[in-house]
Amino acid sequence: MHKMKERQPRWSLLQRRTSLVAALFVPIVLALVLPGCAVKFIGDYDETIDKGVTDVQQRAELYFSRLQSTPNTPYDQNFYDDMNSRLAVSKSRAASLPKYPIIVEQLANLKAQFDTFQKLDKSSPRPFPGVAVTDAESAIAVSVESILKLELALKRGAPPSTCDYPVVRLRL
Amino acid sequence: MALNVATLASRMLGAALPILKKDARDAESFAKLEFTKIAQTIVAIGEQVVSGQINEQQAGLLLAMQTSASRNVFLTLQGLALLAVEAAINAALNVVRSAVNTALGFALIA
């Protein structure tokens, strides 16, 4: 009797380990074999984010063109306020979508680029150097192209079927 | 019909490998294009400082913008890699579905 009581904690530990292993591996195995399930590591294409980023680039291009053609154009706080609010909206949407951390980070990087250009614009005497506009424009274009390249790849051709994973509860 | 591990593995690899190779080529051409643009701009920034078109402070800010651009290229490559692995796994399962289900007598893989 006394011995059985001593062995109980060991058995309980084994049970815990088994439960833990099952909790980790069962969803993976089920994802691979359940009818209609397709493996999915990253979220789906989102048209709102695609349009939002394209719109930001279009507005930025307008401002850059103005700075290039009229280098004495004064610093315009409204432009940066507009960019910040548009990017904040896109970032909030991306954060609410499942499996979207990569695009959330890309939008944060794009915003950081506008913040840096704002510092440059604010601190530079006029006429604003045209070459600086070209350099900034190129950096922002690379970021926008990167985001759009990934967004379009998320279309994936035929949409994969979704599946609901069974809830595996741990009893530790 | 008994399932043969070597045959199944070979068929799965045959389905997955072309997808991984194709996606790696696409990612490479994207990375090459974007990193070339960044490299050209970095060289241009250096020349613009030397020629006095911009000062060192402006150059520093422009370089920071290029760094953010590089981060975004890497993040896209990370996303494309996830998509490639996802497609390869799904293709590998798809190609052995019929053989596995027939051998087992029920739809293990649908």
Side-chain angles (χ1 to χ4, degrees):
Chain A
M1 194 70 180
H2 181 68
K3 275 184 181 174
M4 273 184 76
K5 270 185 184 174
E6 273 184 347
R7 281 184 184 177
Q8 252 183 345
R10 278 192 174 187
W11 177 241
S12 173
L13 185 67
L14 185 67
Q15 273 184 318
R16 281 182 200 174
R17 280 186 185 164
T18 311
S19 301
L20 188 64
V21 170
L24 290 174
F25 287 101
V26 165
I28 298 169
V29 174
L30 289 178
L32 293 174
V33 299
L34 264 185
C37 282
V39 178
K40 203 173 206 181
F41 298 129
I42 183 167
D44 289 320
Y45 168 76
D46 187 80
E47 196 183 353
T48 309
I49 290 180
D50 180 344
K51 283 185 177 168
V53 170
T54 307
D55 187 52
V56 161
Q57 189 187 23
Q58 213 168 13
R59 285 165 194 270
E61 287 297 336
L62 257 173
Y63 187 65
F64 290 144
S65 298
R66 204 145 44 101
L67 276 177
Q68 285 272 23
S69 60
T70 319
N72 283 320
T73 300
Y75 166 78
D76 182 2
Q77 181 62 45
N78 290 334
F79 166 72
Y80 296 102
D81 291 344
D82 184 39
M83 290 295 106
N84 282 341
S85 68
R86 284 172 193 279
L87 286 169
V89 169
S90 289
K91 199 179 157 206
S92 295
R93 180 167 176 87
S96 72
L97 294 171
K99 298 178 181 173
Y100 246 70
I102 293 179
I103 289 182
V104 170
E105 206 177 328
Q106 287 185 310
L107 290 168
N109 282 330
L110 184 58
K111 189 191 173 296
Q113 287 179 307
F114 278 106
D115 290 345
T116 307
F117 189 70
Q118 184 177 11
K119 275 186 206 161
L120 181 69
D121 189 2
K122 209 172 183 177
S123 63
S124 296
R126 268 43 183 176
F128 193 85
V131 288
V133 178
T134 310
D135 298 339
E137 194 178 7
S138 168
I140 285 172
V142 168
S143 285
V144 168
E145 283 160 21
S146 298
I147 297 170
L148 295 181
K149 167 89 180 169
L150 183 54
E151 263 300 338
L152 293 177
L154 295 180
K155 284 185 172 176
R156 287 184 181 89
S161 312
T162 55
C163 58
D164 296 318
Y165 294 110
V167 179
V168 180
R169 294 189 188 281
L170 287 172
R171 286 183 183 174
L172 298 176
Chain B
M1 189 183 79
L3 287 172
N4 182 301
V5 174
T7 310
L8 283 185
S10 162
R11 289 180 64 187
M12 290 175 86
L13 189 66
L17 217 53
I19 293 172
L20 294 173
K21 281 182 181 169
K22 183 192 166 289
D23 288 354
R25 276 197 301 271
D26 289 349
E28 188 186 344
S29 65
F30 165 75
K32 201 172 176 180
L33 181 74
E34 299 303 333
F35 283 129
T36 303
K37 284 185 206 167
I38 292 170
Q40 282 169 345
T41 311
I42 289 171
V43 170
I45 291 169
E47 289 169 353
Q48 288 153 14
V49 174
V50 172
S51 64
Q53 291 173 286
I54 56 173
N55 61 37
E56 283 182 19
Q57 191 202 344
Q58 289 169 326
L61 291 170
L62 289 167
L63 189 66
M65 290 182 77
Q66 300 304 319
T67 309
S68 296
S70 303
R71 278 198 205 107
N72 273 344
V73 174
F74 274 118
L75 285 165
T76 291
L77 292 174
Q78 191 186 332
L80 294 177
L82 284 176
L83 279 169
V85 172
E86 187 187 286
I89 291 173
N90 288 330
L93 284 174
N94 196 38
V95 82
V96 295
R97 178 196 295 149
S98 159
V100 170
N101 292 347
T102 307
L104 296 178
F106 70 96
L108 179 67
I109 306 170

